[in-house]
Structure formats: C-alpha cells, structure tokens
Amino acid sequence: MTDHHRKKEWTSIPTLPCASIEATLSFWEMLGFAITYKQTRPYQYGVVERGGAAVHFAALKGMETDERHYHGCLVAVPDAAEVYREFSQRMKTKLGRVPHAGLPRISRMKPGTTRFTLTDVSGNSIIFVSLGEKDQETWEKADDGQQSPLRQAIARAIRFRDYKEDEKAAAKVLDVALKKAADEDRLTMAEALIIRMDLASLMGDRDFAGECDIQLSRLDLPEEEIKRLKQQHGATM
C-alpha cells in the first residue's frame, strides 16, 4: 500500500508571520473572524477562523511592518464580491475609510471579478477568491492568441490589475497595444481607453486620464455604450 492510500497521519499547517500577535488578531477579528487560539508566552501564536477556514499566525522577532508582502495564502469563498463588500464596510466603520494603500489595505475589486487581496497590519497578503471556474477562465483569457491584439492586451491588463495588483504593468501593456491598434473596432478601443483612463486616475495621473478621455470622445460612440463600459469596469471617473 502506498503512502497516498494510507490513513492520514500527517497534518501541515502553514503559519504566517506577524510583528504583534495582539494587533494581528484584533485586525482579523474586526473583519468578522473569531479568535480561536491565542498565546503570548513562551512565544506569540494565534489562530483566527471563519466559515471553516483557519489562518495561523506566529510573531516573528525583529519583524518590521511595511508595505512589502511578507507571506500570504489563498482563501476560497462562495462569493468573493460579497466578502469584499462586507470587509470594506467593516473597515470603513472601524477605520473611517477603505484603505487601498499602506497597511492594512484591501485591493480594489472591479465588477465581475472573482478575487481580491487583503493585506493585514503585518504585510501578509490573503487572497480571497470565489469558488468555481470563472477565476481560472479570466486568468487564461490573457493567453488566448485567437483574439485581436488589443483584446488580448485588455485581458493581460486585467490580469495585472486584478490578480497581481500591478497597475503600472497593466498600464504599460495597454499603452503599447493602443499605439499599434490601427484596425481594432471602436468598442474595443473604447474599452481599452476606459481601463487605461481608470488606471491613470487610480495612479494619480490626471493629465493622462484627460488625454484618454479626449481620445475616447473622438471615437464618437453613443453615450449609452460609454456608460455601459464604464460600469462594466467600475471606472472611477
């Protein structure tokens, strides 16, 4: 009999580092998790649980909290968008705002997307993702070479924006593709410009966002189509 078919004897429990077990457990408790274990001596260790999922933390001596990602894990949930709305509301109530930068923070979740990243007070990044195949389909769309170059660039930009929290890389992909987009249809051009304009706005580049808006108006599309695309991508402008 192989090890694979034997009765389970070993258990692995990934443990995330933190600078302070008290601060870390309090943060997750704020988000609706229950503290199921906590000790401060001889070393700091704690566990939070929600919906059957447990996350373990251990204080790391000398650890400094900053905006770098230390470690993380993936938590699969029935509906990531619903969890995102709840977490955002809890943070707004407790912190007075929904932080998208610094520590702690929560990534922006666009309409129709299937995941978001929550970074706690120690820099641990926990990815919450909806159960099902849609998440994988969205990821793989960026590798589909059967679509037009600009459509593939849009898919790649969405991968950078929503999966990797890399707005600069997403913007760069679109900038390169838009310069070469001579034969693309107007709706695809409009979608790319709206995503790029939103990225510019999020990165604080209002001048470039304005340039994208001018290019968008030159496409002469019905206002209803523009509004639909903006709602589809949760554009902030």
Side-chain angles (χ1 to χ4, degrees), residues 8 10-18 21 45-49 53-59 71-75 124-126:
K8 182 178 179 181
W10 294 14
T11 300
S12 61
I13 302 176
T15 303
L16 303 180
C18 64
I21 200 66
Y45 194 92
V47 181
V48 296
E49 294 188 31
V55 186
H56 293 239
F57 297 94
H71 297 79
C73 67
L74 189 74
V75 177
N124 291 303
S125 292
I126 313 297

Side-chain angles (χ1 to χ4, degrees), residues 107-117 127-128 135 138-139 154-167 170 195 198-199 202 233:
S107 65
R108 294 177 175 86
M109 188 176 187
K110 295 295 184 179
T113 54
T114 53
R115 63 169 56 196
F116 68 91
T117 301
I127 299 172
F128 291 83
D135 186 73
T138 302
W139 172 271
I154 289 172
R156 291 180 61 203
I158 289 173
R159 177 190 282 183
F160 278 119
R161 184 193 68 187
D162 299 337
Y163 288 73
K164 299 185 178 183
E165 290 189 85
D166 195 337
E167 294 167 348
I195 296 173
D198 189 49
L199 287 167
L202 294 175
H233 290 282

Side-chain angles (χ1 to χ4, degrees), residues 9 17 25 37 39 64 69 95 152 190-191 198 207 217 233-234:
E9 296 176 347
L25 297 184
Y37 183 80
Q39 74 172 43
E64 296 181 2
H69 293 187
L95 305 177
Q152 186 170 23
E191 185 172 0
D198 189 49
D207 290 340
S217 64
H233 290 282

Side-chain angles (χ1 to χ4, degrees), residues 71-92:
H71 297 79
C73 67
L74 189 74
V75 177
V77 297
D79 187 344
E82 182 179 338
V83 176
Y84 181 83
R85 287 191 291 271
E86 181 193 337
F87 283 4
S88 295
Q89 185 57 52
R90 285 177 177 271
M91 296 177 91
K92 186 175 182 179

